[in-house]
Amino acid sequence: MNRILVIAEHDGELLNPATARAVSCALAIGGEIDIAVFAQQASAVAASAAKLKGIKRVLKVERPENAQPLAAILAPQIAKLAKDYTHVLAPSTTFGKDLLPRAAALAGVQQVSDVMKVMDAVTFERPIYAGNAIVTVKAPDKPCVMATVRTASWQACEAGGPAEITAANTDAALPSHTRFVELKAEKSERPDLQSAPRVVSGGRGVGSKENFAVIYKLADKLGAAVGASRAAVDAGYVANDLQVGQTGKIIAPDLYVAVGISGAIQHLTGIKDARTIVAINKDPDAPIFQVADIGLVGDLFQILPELEKELDKT
Amino acid sequence: MKILVGIKRVVDYSVRVQIKKDGSGIGTDGVKMSINPFDEIALEEALRIREAGTAAEIVAVSVGPTDCQQQLRTALAMGADRAILVESTTLLQPLMIARVLHELTKHETPDLVMLGKQAIDDDSNQTGQMLAALWDRPQATFASRIGLQGTVATVTREVDAGLETIEVDLPAVFTTDLRLNTPRFVKMPDIMKARTKPLQILKLEALGLQAAPMLESVKYAPPPQRAGGSKVADVPALVAALKQRGVL
Ligand SMILES: Cc1cc2nc3c(=O)[nH]c(=O)nc-3n(C[C@H](O)[C@H](O)[C@H](O)COP(=O)(O)OP(=O)(O)OC[C@H]3O[C@@H](n4cnc5c(N)ncnc54)[C@H](O)[C@@H]3O)c2cc1C
Ligand SMILES: Nc1ncnc2c1ncn2[C@@H]1O[C@H](COP(=O)(O)O)[C@@H](O)[C@H]1O
């Protein structure tokens, strides 16, 4: 029988919703599923993790060194725990991407990145070339399978449990060569880009940081999160954590509104799984229109205020 | 200080790749090949460190077929001092690349290894982390700012929540994110100069490495296509279309 370990992502207090998506992938593989919570004090996060569907046990791996999610610290512990499992999964967020390959190398495993679909316990679909091709890969089952889960391809699993919570510890020797200094998080009252059902994104066409106010206004009207193209981030209109695309966030909202974004392949790969894509662009030949379900050609500075008024009527 | 920079030869980012009809792979015949964009950023950062007087030598390293020499020559033209090609005719995956790079660190003893955060062909995002694990050294992935003070580096990383800063002891492995810098253009005279810079070729087999476990690529397929392309005339029609699709 498969024994699957899912690595929980959290900020010390809250379980990141990406974890529940990784659990969905574990459910698709099938078997006994455990979740590991690495923290200084794991109880609060472990309690949330225990309420996810189909979990056998939640392992609290508590050590002072685990206070911050540093790959150099967590990877040796994961490599030790992995000995009892057939599969180790982590979400394909910056947390999982940083961490899991380090653990995989220690365990002598060639990792599978960005699992979109499970064909069988060792065979998976994953995107390559910015999502322009899908490759089916078969992983060796020994010593175990390690994979990151492309969160946009999976819904959060349902609630269940509560699972048993136990303390687990490894005697892994931990290095002191890597030290956390600080995390500067953009504080925002807006919905989270990665999990919001609606997203409004602005591109270079928005023109300036000040002009981005029009994007925020529409987002607020729709209760949407705000995203951006790389060009908008590079130009300093918004912070880096709003970048959507191949090298930014891959998202799958119900509604994605692209404003003043041309639709480069690197951007499109981040929004392919959106249910409805709306494009607003003054260039009728912009490639974004080829993927948009609803396109509107015109000047965004005229269209957005009009759109807000029209939305007020509904 | 010595810096090793990874240079991967990849299909240029502007090419829309074609999948072979029989699903056995990606067609790369006659397709424009380039240095992985993130590796250009890695090399640019190394050059800036050298220009600031901190680094003495920059070694560009590529693992792959003979043709990788083209990308290594470009790296030399950008300003790398010398290059190493580890020649391999079989396609290697990140764990094996990391083993090769780890082997090179034993011979070259670099203070820094700079790689891209991901290769834009396989999109694996693994090699730097794996090398750091095998080498038992720190990693700073997704770097958007690097500060060096003696044998310690302060690195700002682009993470989902914002910007994280960590401090690491050297030697270390850094992987670059897009906003670390903008790579310079190669100038004609530099291309001429690069022809005479040393480019060493090692055979993979000569390194005596144990082969790493590999993923078997069973099938390549195009992604599901979106049925996009329809346009509306004005804002009221847009709102109506949204309602019709049940998203409002
Ligand atoms: C390795 C690599 C990785 C990359 N990763 C990403 C990534 O993750 N995400 C990403 O987004 N990009 C990424 N890119 C960059 C990508 O190739 C494009 O350069 C970028 O997406 C362009 O952003 P944009 O559409 O905002 O700008 P542009 O391409 O300049 O488009 C601006 C658009 O705005 C329209 N416009 C201008 N004014 C108005 C107006 N008043 N009203 C309406 N429309 C207007 C124009 O018609 C145009 O279509 C990457 C590139 C590389 C090489
Ligand atoms: N064959 C290779 N030769 C040189 N460097 C490589 C090679 N493969 C990967 N790398 C380096 O590792 C980074 C990440 O690649 P990947 O893990 O494949 O996404 C790349 O940006 C390169 O810097």
Side-chain angles (χ1 to χ4, degrees):
Chain A
M1 181 171 66
N2 297 320
R3 297 206 60 216
I4 307 172
L5 182 67
V6 177
I7 311 299
E9 176 168 358
H10 63 87
D11 63 2
E13 288 161 23
L14 296 175
L15 185 68
N16 186 300
T19 312
R21 295 175 185 248
V23 169
S24 290
C25 179
L27 290 166
I29 294 168
E32 213 171 271
I33 306 170
D34 291 352
I35 297 185
V37 180
F38 292 87
Q40 187 166 17
Q41 297 199 331
S43 297
V45 175
S48 311
K51 289 184 207 134
L52 297 177
K53 183 183 164 184
I55 306 302
K56 173 95 177 162
R57 294 184 308 166
V58 176
L59 312 180
K60 294 197 292 180
V61 194
E62 297 178 315
R63 280 175 88 147
E65 296 93 329
N66 292 351
Q68 298 296 335
L70 294 171
I73 301 287
L74 304 190
Q77 302 175 63
I78 292 173
K80 285 237 166 168
L81 290 177
K83 294 195 171 73
D84 295 331
Y85 292 90
T86 58
H87 295 71
V88 181
L89 305 182
S92 190
T93 52
T94 52
F95 164 77
K97 288 175 181 170
D98 182 49
L99 173 60
L100 205 63
R102 189 163 180 128
L106 294 176
V109 172
Q110 174 55 60
Q111 179 191 292
V112 182
S113 294
D114 304 313
V115 170
M116 306 172 73
K117 201 166 165 186
V118 172
M119 314 308 281
D120 65 41
V122 295
T123 313
F124 310 96
E125 281 186 4
R126 63 172 301 259
I128 54 174
Y129 289 93
N132 285 302
I134 309 296
V135 61
T136 305
V137 295
K138 197 167 167 207
D141 59 354
K142 297 268 159 9
C144 69
V145 175
M146 289 198 180
T148 59
V149 177
R150 184 178 182 274
T151 49
S153 300
W154 301 87
Q155 300 286 338
C157 67
E158 292 159 26
E164 172 196 348
I165 300 177
T166 60
N169 249 312
T170 73
D171 53 1
L174 302 183
S176 59
H177 53 47
T178 306
R179 300 169 290 273
F180 175 84
V181 178
E182 62 171 356
L183 174 66
K184 277 207 183 112
E186 290 285 324
K187 285 201 182 56
S188 165
E189 300 300 309
R190 294 199 166 75
D192 169 56
L193 175 57
Q194 259 161 324
S195 49
R198 292 173 178 182
V199 174
V200 180
S201 277
R204 199 196 316 263
V206 177
S208 71
K209 191 172 177 170
E210 293 69 41
N211 286 355
F212 232 79
V214 299
I215 303 292
Y216 288 119
K217 269 180 83 183
L218 178 61
D220 288 346
K221 186 121 293 175
L222 288 167
V226 170
S229 70
R230 173 187 172 190
V233 176
D234 284 0
Y237 303 170
V238 292
N240 66 284
D241 53 315
L242 298 192
Q243 180 174 316
V244 172
Q246 180 189 16
T247 51
K249 286 177 179 150
I250 312 269
I251 56 175
D254 293 335
L255 174 64
Y256 186 76
V257 186
V259 184
I261 292 178
S262 62
I265 48 173
Q266 293 87 5
H267 187 79
L268 298 183
T269 192
I271 59 171
K272 274 196 182 136
D273 298 295
R275 200 146 64 85
T276 296
I277 297 177
V278 174
I280 297 170
N281 195 305
K282 68 177 179 190
D283 173 9
D285 297 322
I288 187 81
F289 287 122
Q290 290 163 23
V291 299
D293 302 288
I294 311 172
L296 180 53
V297 178
D299 186 338
L300 70 95
F301 298 104
Q302 272 165 17
I303 292 173
L304 293 200
E306 217 187 304
L307 179 55
E308 277 167 45
K309 275 196 207 126
E310 194 69 25
L311 288 169
D312 279 339
K313 289 189 206 159
T314 66
Chain B
M1 165 179 288
K2 188 198 272 190
I3 307 179
L4 225 61
V5 180
I7 299 291
K8 186 174 188 191
R9 172 185 164 91
V10 298
V11 172
D12 189 81
Y13 82 95
S14 62
V15 173
R16 195 171 273 268
V17 295
Q18 301 294 329
I19 294 144
K20 289 184 188 159
K21 288 236 163 57
D22 61 0
S24 65
I26 304 291
T28 49
D29 290 348
V31 163
K32 184 179 176 201
M33 304 296 286
S34 299
I35 297 180
N36 183 41
F38 290 98
D39 300 354
E40 269 189 310
I41 295 173
L43 177 55
E44 175 64 35
E45 195 65 15
L47 295 172
R48 290 183 190 188
I49 293 170
R50 191 183 61 194
E51 282 157 9
T54 314
E57 193 183 27
I58 298 170
V59 185
V61 179
S62 194
V63 187
T66 309
D67 290 342
C68 296
Q69 288 185 47
Q70 294 163 10
Q71 281 64 42
L72 286 175
R73 285 291 167 205
T74 307
L76 291 168
M78 271 181 78
D81 297 296
R82 60 188 172 90
I84 302 174
L85 169 62
V86 179
E87 206 171 70
S88 157
T89 44
T90 50
L91 209 63
L92 302 178
Q93 294 174 0
L95 182 57
M96 191 60 191
I97 303 287
R99 284 190 183 168
V100 171
L101 295 175
H102 180 218
E103 191 61 26
L104 291 183
T105 62
K106 294 179 193 164
H107 302 290
E108 296 284 343
T109 58
D111 302 281
L112 265 183
V113 179
M114 307 265 303
L115 304 179
K117 81 165 174 182
Q118 83 196 61
I120 60 162
D121 51 2
D122 59 49
D123 282 331
S124 292
N125 200 327
Q126 300 179 10
T127 308
Q129 299 87 313
M130 290 184 153
L131 168 62
L134 301 176
W135 197 17
D136 200 10
R137 295 307 309 165
Q139 69 190 46
T141 53
F142 325 140
S144 67
R145 181 185 286 180
I146 295 171
L148 298 173
Q149 309 90 26
T151 57
V152 174
T154 306
V155 183
T156 300
R157 310 175 51 236
E158 293 203 7
V159 297
D160 290 338
L163 295 171
E164 184 194 77
T165 302
I166 60 172
E167 189 183 85
V168 300
D169 298 333
L170 304 187
V173 179
F174 295 167
T175 76
T176 59
D177 216 317
L178 291 170
R179 275 167 288 277
L180 183 59
N181 61 50
T182 307
R184 65 197 61 189
F185 285 107
V186 177
K187 293 194 266 329
M188 211 44 204
D190 297 329
I191 297 175
M192 303 302 289
K193 247 195 292 179
R195 290 191 185 155
T196 56
K197 287 187 180 177
L199 194 165
Q200 183 188 1
I201 299 177
L202 303 172
K203 295 271 182 227
L204 176 70
E205 299 71 36
L207 294 181
L209 290 172
Q210 192 195 347
M214 290 241 290
L215 308 180
E216 180 196 337
S217 297
V218 182
K219 186 181 87 179
Y220 294 79
Q225 290 303 310
R226 288 190 69 96
S230 62
K231 287 189 184 132
V232 292
D234 54 22
V235 169
L238 169 60
V239 173
L242 284 172
K243 280 191 187 145
Q244 202 199 340
R245 292 181 66 94
V247 280
L248 276 189

